[in-house]
Amino acid sequence: MLGLPDDIRAFLFDLDGVLTQTAKVHAAAWKRTFDDFLRSESDRTGGQFVPFDAVVDYDTHVDGRPRLDGTRAFLRSRGFDLPEGTDADPPGARTVHGISSAKNDTVLAMIREQGVLPYDGSVAYVRRLRALGLPAAVVSSSANCRDVLRAAGIEELFDVVVDGIVARREGLPGKPAPDTYLAAARALGVEPAHAAVFEDALAGVASGRAGGFGAVVGVDRTGQAAELRRDGATVVVTDLAELIPEEGA
């Protein structure tokens, strides 16, 4: 069925990097935010400024994770143990919440300035699913997921959205835990063994593997096919259009 085992009956898609061309925007926003913090710390302590790597650091520590978890993971990687703070902290405060808020403000500003483009191959794939009457969900760590879907003009293609807002309300751990994907499968009334996960993030494919899903499709936008397979992808493509059968096939 559309490049996957015949018993797959539901399709669960990550947002950034799978459906929309926003992963690169998030990477740039994280770099700007963390570089501001790291530069401030080097000025404060007299230490060396080592910038955030928008490929290695992004893929390893923040891609696919909830915003606060990504902040914590990167800070730990650099040896920082900052206070958690609260949602009331101003953006840029020297806390996990303050840095996370600064990143959110930055990415929203960049999206407003640049707009949101979907991946044409992904849209074509989801439209083929809908033409066949197959259910689809979006599973994203982002609290801005619905805004991005609307901006990209594809919100109506999905039956269920499990985003950062839903995860927080229902107490669901973020990726690489499988809970958000499992929640989407439940909402569609399908067992994980009969559902497929589509992810470009290493944390995301790991969550698909942990959830026992029938297929985990790794979408390789950045040349990390081997890493996607290592962390749980059962199929790797560079674009979802590769899974659409040719007419008459």
Side-chain angles (χ1 to χ4, degrees):
M1 176 61 69
L2 289 175
L4 299 177
D6 289 341
D7 60 351
I8 297 298
R9 298 197 294 271
F11 299 76
L12 316 177
F13 298 86
D14 178 44
L15 178 68
D16 302 310
V18 173
L19 296 173
T20 60
Q21 300 181 43
T22 40
K24 63 188 75 172
V25 181
H26 282 281
W30 278 116
K31 178 168 177 58
R32 185 181 302 178
T33 301
F34 279 131
D35 281 358
D36 286 348
F37 168 76
L38 294 168
R39 192 174 288 107
S40 174
E41 287 297 297
S42 68
D43 291 343
R44 186 176 68 85
T45 64
Q48 182 182 7
F49 167 61
V50 180
F52 178 86
D53 189 306
V55 176
V56 176
D57 286 328
Y58 179 73
D59 288 347
T60 304
H61 303 299
V62 301
D63 188 21
R65 299 176 187 268
R67 190 184 313 127
L68 291 168
D69 290 350
T71 301
R72 294 185 192 103
F74 175 71
L75 291 175
R76 280 196 304 270
S77 77
R78 294 295 183 92
F80 291 103
D81 184 17
L82 267 58
E84 278 290 304
T86 71
D87 285 341
D89 290 354
R94 197 176 178 276
T95 64
V96 171
H97 278 266
I99 293 172
S100 299
S101 293
K103 185 268 174 179
N104 192 50
D105 286 357
T106 300
V107 78
L108 289 176
M110 295 174 79
I111 288 172
R112 283 194 298 270
E113 293 165 4
Q114 301 173 20
V116 175
L117 291 174
Y119 284 102
D120 291 341
S122 298
V123 174
Y125 188 83
V126 178
R127 290 194 185 281
R128 182 68 70 90
L129 296 178
R130 304 327 307 257
L132 294 170
L134 295 167
V138 178
V139 181
S140 172
S141 300
S142 174
N144 305 310
C145 177
R146 286 191 180 275
D147 292 333
V148 172
L149 288 171
R150 290 189 197 103
I154 57 174
E155 184 182 22
E156 79 286 351
L157 295 177
F158 301 96
D159 303 287
V160 167
V161 173
V162 177
D163 59 9
I165 295 172
V166 172
R168 183 169 184 174
R169 183 178 69 232
E170 299 186 6
L172 303 174
K175 306 168 189 178
D179 300 63
T180 51
Y181 276 114
L182 293 172
R186 284 195 301 272
L188 293 175
V190 176
E191 292 296 319
H194 298 297
V197 165
F198 295 77
E199 270 283 355
D200 71 313
L202 301 180
V205 296
S207 70
R209 178 176 62 183
F213 287 89
V216 181
V217 179
V219 184
D220 179 23
R221 307 287 190 192
T222 60
Q224 56 177 3
E227 291 85 352
L228 289 166
R229 290 191 181 92
R230 178 199 68 200
D231 285 6
T234 57
V235 176
V236 176
V237 296
T238 58
D239 190 276
L240 296 191
E242 296 171 33
L243 298 174
I244 301 174
E246 295 180 8
E247 293 296 332

